[in-house]
Amino acid sequence: MKMACKLLQNSRVVILEGFKSRSRKFSTSLNAQKNYKLVVVGGGSGGCAVASKFVKKLGAGNVAVIEPNQTHYYQPMFTLIGGGIKTLSDSARPMKSVLPAKCDWIQSKAVNFDPVGQKVTTASGEEVGYDYLVVAMGLQLNFNKIKGLPEAFDLDPQVVSNYWTKTVVNTYPAIQKFKGGNAIFTFPNTPIKCAGAPQKIMYLAEELFRKNKTRQDSEVIFNTALGVIFGVKKYAESLQKIVTARNIKVNYKRNLVEVRGAEREAVFENLDKPGEMEVFKYDLLHVTPPMSTPDELRTSAIVNEAGFVNVNKETLQHTDYPNIFSIGDCNSAPTSKTAAAVAAQSGVLERNLSAVMNGAKQSAQYDGYTSCPLITSRGKCILAEFDYDAQPLETFPVNQGKERSSMYHLKASVMPELYWKMLLKGNWNGPGVYRKLMRFGMGSSGKA
Ligand SMILES: Cc1cc2nc3c(=O)[nH]c(=O)nc-3n(C[C@H](O)[C@H](O)[C@H](O)COP(=O)(O)OP(=O)(O)OC[C@H]3O[C@@H](n4cnc5c(N)ncnc54)[C@H](O)[C@@H]3O)c2cc1C
């Protein structure tokens, strides 16, 4: 059996030799306790994809991944877990099985970034030097920014969230226990990962309420801080028709600020009238929490004012430090944050970082490609795919704005395989090539 990624937990080994840097520009830090040609921070979707790609190029001993967690979750499956279609263990793999075998896994948190000294300090006090750094730290869930919410999670099993491993397992039981009343689904006032997920679970729940014969006694409410149901006009029009047909009440510009668990009351600020609060009674509350980049990153020297790693949105190279790149949810590329975006970014990052390592010109450009499989029921899905300009960039030569069972099958059965077997192994750069093949001679990519 292949040896899994070498684990260097709390190790203080000093590796100052062992590889020859091909770069003259970015030489390894002399002060660090360990040095690598490439350090990747984060072993999620983007970190695994990048580490896999570069360990093949640079060889064993030259790539390290700093990642604290023992378990890697396929987060896009969380919607299906909340809907009772998959289990949490279906979405989980040991971290050591998904990190590439030939990289060094430093099992700790990155707590300090020194982009001038070219080193990262970990929570266990190690200084890890690098020639090149890729930051792939994802987003932090800030449940504690909503007054009373952490307590409400403990108090009431009808308060749930698909976004967290600890609470996603409670969603389906809460839907099944719901006997009528108000079922409220929220969308916060910050950038989030998978902007479709807050409403996907609402559609699955609403369908189950009908099946369980509780729908006639209930109000299904989507309270969103946004001013639209979805950021791309074509898909927003489809979703608008669905919420109307299914009698779902959508309240725009409503931001959850407090949960009074004992009273089962949720307090929302009306963003059109700042300071004005509205109280909703609930019998089921699904919360999408406010999010930010992780604290250690947000307070570092490599982020913009909003706390995201400041990259050129086309090359994914840091705007101030040319030997730093960033992939995925934690970077400043202004697109919808998804694993699909990570896939497309990984190909661009691979080409551009390789060019920088070889002293060549960067040639790849990220167009903002992202995708959101908007599950609307058990068996139906609208596959939204779009770019930086919020223009559809569809892969298949059919109208993807329609609910389709083929797209549901793709989401539930094909995408997980693509994720584990291709993306994390560094072999999936998104569907760009297939889009061109499938649409050969057809011109359009689904633009309205
Ligand atoms: C409910 C839900 C539904 C979703 N649905 C979809 C979908 O249908 N389609 C889709 O494409 N995407 C979906 N996503 C989004 C997708 O999962 C993310 O966009 C994707 O995982 C982002 O990858 P990433 O590498 O940027 O971050 P992540 O995969 O979150 O990885 C970040 C990693 O960084 C690590 N890290 C954090 N802090 C530190 C630190 N200080 N030091 C070291 N490491 C650190 C974390 O432990 C983690 O392993 C969904 C997400 C959720 C939660």
Side-chain angles (χ1 to χ4, degrees):
M1 212 175 93
K2 236 163 115 188
M3 251 272 287
C5 186
K6 197 166 69 179
L7 174 61
L8 296 176
Q9 188 178 17
N10 298 329
S11 147
R12 297 228 162 224
V13 182
V14 179
I15 306 171
L16 285 172
E17 294 173 329
F19 67 85
K20 283 186 199 135
S21 170
R22 271 185 290 165
S23 158
R24 276 188 221 130
K25 235 176 173 179
F26 307 112
S27 54
T28 309
S29 169
L30 293 174
N31 304 321
Q33 294 159 322
K34 288 178 195 158
N35 285 283
Y36 292 92
K37 177 98 174 165
L38 174 67
V39 170
V40 178
V41 185
S45 316
C48 284
V50 168
S52 293
K53 284 176 182 293
F54 279 91
V55 88
K56 287 176 205 155
K57 296 176 196 285
L58 302 175
N62 290 327
V63 180
V65 178
I66 303 176
E67 163 63 56
N69 289 331
Q70 291 272 10
T71 309
H72 178 114
Y73 290 97
Y74 173 51
Q75 299 168 57
M77 197 177 271
F78 288 3
T79 298
L80 299 175
I81 299 168
I85 300 157
K86 301 270 183 186
T87 65
L88 186 61
S89 62
D90 291 335
S91 73
R93 298 271 163 95
M95 189 62 75
K96 68 175 189 302
S97 73
V98 296
L99 290 172
K102 289 181 179 162
C103 78
D104 287 351
W105 174 17
I106 299 170
Q107 197 189 348
S108 188
K109 267 188 167 189
V111 292
N112 189 54
F113 293 83
D114 175 359
V116 177
Q118 295 183 206
K119 59 188 181 199
V120 176
T121 308
T122 70
S124 45
E126 285 171 281
E127 292 189 334
V128 186
Y130 59 82
D131 288 5
Y132 302 94
L133 178 72
V134 173
V135 186
M137 290 164 68
L139 289 180
Q140 169 180 294
L141 307 172
N142 294 322
F143 289 110
N144 58 352
K145 296 266 185 231
I146 296 172
K147 190 176 166 197
L149 179 59
E151 295 81 358
F153 277 139
D154 291 339
L155 191 74
D156 186 357
Q158 293 303 101
V159 181
V160 294
S161 176
N162 274 1
Y163 274 82
W164 189 23
T165 48
K166 293 227 162 49
T167 49
V168 64
V169 290
N170 298 334
T171 304
Y172 184 63
I175 292 170
Q176 293 295 57
K177 264 188 235 134
F178 180 76
K179 295 281 176 274
N182 284 347
I184 303 180
F185 298 81
T186 75
F187 189 115
N189 193 18
T190 66
I192 64 167
K193 45 185 153 184
C194 195
Q199 59 185 298
K200 295 184 216 179
I201 187 59
M202 174 176 72
Y203 298 128
L204 289 175
E206 196 271 342
E207 185 186 31
L208 284 164
F209 299 156
R210 276 186 277 132
K211 189 168 160 247
N212 294 345
K213 313 237 180 304
T214 53
R215 182 66 179 102
Q216 69 280 6
D217 303 317
S218 60
E219 184 92 75
V220 178
I221 302 166
F222 186 42
N223 275 0
T224 168
L226 301 180
V228 288
I229 194 155
F230 198 74
V232 180
K233 192 165 167 272
K234 172 174 179 170
Y235 308 115
E237 284 171 1
S238 304
L239 294 168
Q240 199 57 60
K241 285 185 192 143
I242 291 169
V243 291
T244 305
R246 290 168 67 170
N247 193 23
I248 294 170
K249 175 115 184 75
V250 183
N251 296 311
Y252 295 105
K253 300 290 191 83
R254 297 299 191 280
N255 185 39
L256 180 67
V257 292
E258 183 180 353
V259 179
R260 299 174 187 151
E263 292 86 17
R264 283 198 166 168
E265 288 175 352
V267 184
F268 291 83
E269 181 172 18
N270 180 345
L271 298 178
D272 280 334
K273 297 176 185 162
E276 188 178 296
M277 302 295 166
E278 283 171 340
V279 179
F280 288 70
K281 285 272 183 198
Y282 62 78
D283 301 274
L284 172 70
L285 178 65
H286 178 276
V287 180
T288 299
M291 299 178 203
S292 66
T293 51
D295 292 339
E296 306 81 20
L297 180 60
R298 199 164 43 80
T299 51
S300 77
I302 58 172
V303 297
N304 64 14
E305 278 181 2
F308 292 88
V309 183
N310 216 353
V311 294
N312 174 308
K313 70 175 198 174
E314 280 159 356
T315 63
L316 306 177
Q317 184 183 39
H318 198 277
T319 50
D320 299 320
Y321 304 103
N323 60 337
I324 300 180
F325 283 70
S326 177
I327 186 167
D329 295 354
C330 71
N331 75 25
S332 63
T335 194
S336 185
K337 297 179 181 301
T338 63
V342 164
Q345 290 178 16
S346 73
V348 172
L349 192 152
E350 178 183 18
R351 280 170 60 190
N352 288 342
L353 177 53
S354 299
V356 173
M357 285 178 173
N358 292 316
K361 200 165 170 278
Q362 297 181 68
S363 59
Q365 290 199 336
Y366 176 52
D367 58 8
Y369 173 83
T370 188
S371 163
C372 188
L374 294 155
I375 294 174
T376 51
S377 70
R378 288 165 126 72
K380 288 272 188 283
C381 176
I382 291 171
L383 183 61
E385 296 184 284
F386 50 99
D387 63 13
Y388 274 139
D389 300 324
Q391 288 300 314
L393 205 53
E394 297 180 349
T395 302
F396 300 97
V398 294
N399 177 6
Q400 290 181 207
K402 278 180 68 175
E403 293 176 277
R404 291 180 184 275
S405 50
S406 54
M407 298 303 159
Y408 180 86
H409 173 68
L410 192 73
K411 157 76 187 166
S413 308
V414 179
M415 285 179 185
E417 293 298 302
L418 206 58
Y419 184 84
W420 298 117
K421 296 191 176 141
M422 300 283 286
L423 176 63
L424 296 189
K425 306 280 176 220
N427 296 324
W428 178 246
N429 297 336
V433 175
Y434 302 92
R435 183 189 316 124
K436 282 184 195 132
L437 284 175
M438 289 209 215
R439 294 190 164 270
F440 184 66
M442 296 182 70
S444 156
S445 57
K447 292 191 181 182

